[in-house]
Amino acid sequence: QQQVKQSPQSLIVQKGGISIINCAYENTAFDYFPWYQQFPGKGPALLIAIRPDVSEKKEGRFTISFNKSAKQFSLHIMDSQPGDSATYFCAARMNRDDKIIFGKGTRLHILP
Amino acid sequence: GAGVSQSPRYKVAKRGQDVALRCDPISGHVSLFWYQQALGQGPEFLTYFQNEAQLDKSGLPSDRFFAERPEGSVSTLKIQRTQQEDSAVYLCASSSSGTGANEQFFGPGTRLTVL
């Protein structure tokens, strides 16, 4: 049973465009929703995170939009650059439970 | 300071062999996690330590998997009698808070290939 569902599986975006990755969750006990970026041969690195009492969080070109009633959240990458080409994982964690539940990932490719 | 380090970075084992994977967390980090990442998938939780105490091992797939952190710093994940389905990248992560409120920092992983 997949607790965090992520789409699309892969995404190709032109340089300068907007990349959008979507996630949905079932467990309302989740209290922390991070996004991770992973390059080949590297471990995941935290990109940006949000808690469910906030509907949007922006850090530079990266924005998380959060819809608590729909149990959905998304990552928007503005002005996408070739260096953003990587695999992105949405994730969730319960406030008092340390393990992170990851989505299956989205392989993003930005065309130069 | 240095991040999380893991060794070896690559390991090839014949089916049935035992392997040991090492994780050096960030100095002073209380919490340590192991995850398994199959090819093309997201990481999946294996086990969690707070200092030397293993508080959650619910993700270990079988009794062939064993993890330890005897002195509350370095951790070893051991897989006995490896099988082909054990082939994956094994990731270690550490965080500074025992309550799990802080960010988990991941190492580069050990890629295990079982022939």
Side-chain angles (χ1 to χ4, degrees), chain B residues 17-67:
Chain B
Q17 283 184 331
D18 298 348
V19 299
L21 313 180
R22 178 187 168 106
C23 172
D24 286 80
I26 294 172
S27 178
H29 275 194
V30 170
S31 298
L32 185 145
F33 309 81
W34 285 98
Y35 294 85
Q36 180 191 58
Q37 186 174 21
L39 187 64
Q41 301 294 313
E44 292 191 356
F45 170 79
L46 292 176
T47 187
Y48 160 58
F49 290 87
Q50 188 177 119
N51 295 306
E52 68 277 6
Q54 189 174 20
L55 299 186
D56 188 348
K57 54 182 181 180
S58 61
L60 296 176
S62 77
D63 58 8
R64 295 186 296 103
F65 287 71
F66 172 76

Side-chain angles (χ1 to χ4, degrees), chain A residues 90-103:
Chain A
C90 62
R93 191 181 75 187
M94 284 181 253
N95 198 32
R96 295 181 178 228
D97 185 330
D98 292 335
K99 72 185 170 197
I100 296 173
I101 309 297
F102 287 86

Side-chain angles (χ1 to χ4, degrees), chain A residues 56-88:
Chain A
E56 184 176 281
K57 184 173 182 180
K58 183 176 181 179
E59 290 184 0
R61 296 184 294 110
F62 301 91
T63 300
I64 300 178
S65 297
F66 191 88
N67 186 329
K68 188 174 181 178
S69 61
K71 294 188 285 187
Q72 295 176 347
F73 58 111
S74 61
L75 175 69
H76 291 62
I77 305 175
M78 312 300 287
D79 186 27
S80 299
Q81 299 297 312
D84 297 331
S85 297
T87 300
Y88 292 80

Side-chain angles (χ1 to χ4, degrees), chain A residues 8-14 18-21 37-39 62 75 77 80-88 105-111:
Chain A
Q9 191 172 2
S10 63
L11 182 62
I12 299 174
V13 175
Q14 290 281 350
I18 302 173
S19 303
I20 302 174
I21 304 171
Q37 181 188 56
Q38 186 176 32
F39 293 103
F62 301 91
L75 175 69
I77 305 175
S80 299
Q81 299 297 312
D84 297 331
S85 297
T87 300
Y88 292 80
T106 297
R107 182 172 288 188
L108 175 64
H109 183 64
I110 307 301
L111 297 174

Side-chain angles (χ1 to χ4, degrees), chain B residues 6-11 18-24 34-35 46 65-68 74-79 86 88-92 109-112:
Chain B
Q6 293 186 244
S7 60
R9 291 294 316 277
Y10 304 92
K11 177 69 178 178
D18 298 348
V19 299
L21 313 180
R22 178 187 168 106
C23 172
D24 286 80
W34 285 98
Y35 294 85
L46 292 176
F65 287 71
F66 172 76
E68 61 183 4
V74 171
S75 178
T76 303
L77 177 66
K78 297 179 179 178
I79 309 174
D86 299 335
V89 174
Y90 291 85
L91 295 164
C92 176
T110 294
R111 181 177 296 277
L112 172 65

